[in-house]
Amino acid sequence: MKPCVLVFAGSDPSGGAGISADIEAIAAQGAHALPVITAITVQDNNRVFDVHPIATQLIIQQAQTLTEKISVSAIKLGIIANRANALALAQWITRYKINHPSVPVVLDPVLASGHGDALALDNPVDALAPLLAVATLITPNLPEAALLCPVTQTPQHQARHLMQHGILDVLIKGGHGTEPEVTNHWFHKEHTMSWHWPRIDGAFHGSGCTLASAIAGQLANGMTMLQALTAAQDYCHLTLKNSYAIAPGQRIPQRSK
């Protein structure tokens, strides 16, 4: 039996981010994605032009139907697109975890596209807020961490702020920095660990989805959080190094192994 990851994310018609990226990245870890689309987006490999949330009832109906028959080893959350769907999903995950308390929940807090285009109809921070209470791991980049923690600006304080919601693990990604190296910081209780990567030239479409889904795939395979973070970052760096173009603008990570 192949381990399954239940994925809630938006569709991207360019195939570079969202549910397409999730499916590919999870498969590359040796797990199987159960994709539940939360929104239909209008975008290319560079910009987002419109977002259409899926009806709440349909999202929950899909999740309920899948989990009544299929064992889920991890849950991954991407864009949800509005607060109503985030509230419903948070409530559903809370109920699901009553009987499945060990299932990890990886939250990629996608607040905007790489160009700053909106990915939610409501205020993006408010729309995401209900999901903070059910996440095991959250993976914000530097702009997302700043928006989620507007008063505190150091990674340590941002992680502490996010952990007040009950999140056990925080991975703050440094891809949006300007230093020669990308530094990612992991916070778990009082424990801190950092990884350093050579910065790769160019901009990439779906890199955050790729990393969060790879982590979820590793956790679904029974890896510890440290093992999952290490393996997923190795994998993600390789996908960016081997990325390819489909048009001018952001490149697509090469997620298949």
Side-chain angles (χ1 to χ4, degrees), residues 112-138:
S113 73
H115 281 279
D117 301 320
L119 286 165
L121 298 188
D122 307 320
N123 177 289
V125 175
D126 290 343
L128 180 77
L131 299 172
L132 297 177
V134 298
T136 307
L137 167 71
I138 187 170

Side-chain angles (χ1 to χ4, degrees), residues 18-237:
I19 210 82
S20 300
D22 298 327
I23 293 169
E24 292 177 348
I26 289 167
Q29 314 313 308
H32 177 77
L34 304 173
V36 176
I37 294 175
T38 55
I40 296 173
T41 69
V42 180
Q43 63 178 302
D44 54 26
N45 66 307
N46 233 27
R47 304 298 298 260
V48 177
F49 301 96
D50 208 352
V51 178
H52 300 272
I54 299 296
T56 304
Q57 182 181 1
L58 182 55
I59 294 172
I60 300 304
Q61 186 180 12
Q62 289 181 82
Q64 191 62 36
T65 299
L66 288 167
T67 55
E68 283 174 359
K69 182 174 183 180
I70 302 169
S71 177
V72 169
S73 299
I75 297 172
K76 189 265 178 176
L77 300 166
I79 72 163
I80 307 303
N82 63 19
R83 185 175 174 84
N85 283 352
L87 279 167
L89 262 179
Q91 292 166 358
W92 184 86
I93 292 171
T94 299
R95 291 194 301 271
Y96 181 77
K97 292 199 73 173
I98 292 172
N99 295 320
H100 306 85
S102 63
V103 172
V105 179
V106 178
L107 172 59
D108 181 18
V110 188
L111 301 180
S113 73
H115 281 279
D117 301 320
L119 286 165
L121 298 188
D122 307 320
N123 177 289
V125 175
D126 290 343
L128 180 77
L131 299 172
L132 297 177
V134 298
T136 307
L137 167 71
I138 187 170
T139 61
N141 58 33
L142 294 175
E144 289 161 350
L147 286 171
L148 290 168
C149 315
V151 179
T152 56
Q153 294 304 317
T154 68
Q156 291 81 0
H157 287 104
Q158 290 169 340
R160 200 169 297 129
H161 175 84
L162 290 168
M163 287 176 173
Q164 291 175 1
H165 296 275
I167 299 170
L168 297 176
D169 294 275
V170 178
L171 181 70
I172 298 181
K173 304 171 297 186
H176 284 70
T178 57
E179 301 82 1
E181 285 189 327
V182 173
T183 300
N184 296 338
H185 299 285
W186 171 42
F187 302 90
H188 175 79
K189 297 181 180 178
E190 299 303 319
H191 177 73
T192 303
M193 184 170 178
S194 298
W195 290 265
H196 304 277
W197 306 95
R199 189 174 295 279
I200 301 172
D201 290 337
F204 306 96
H205 190 50
S207 56
C209 309
T210 302
L211 178 56
S213 290
I215 295 168
Q218 287 289 324
L219 292 172
N221 277 303
M223 299 297 104
T224 66
M225 185 61 71
L226 174 58
Q227 290 170 330
L229 291 172
T230 302
Q233 288 178 93
D234 283 337
Y235 163 77
C236 189
H237 183 74

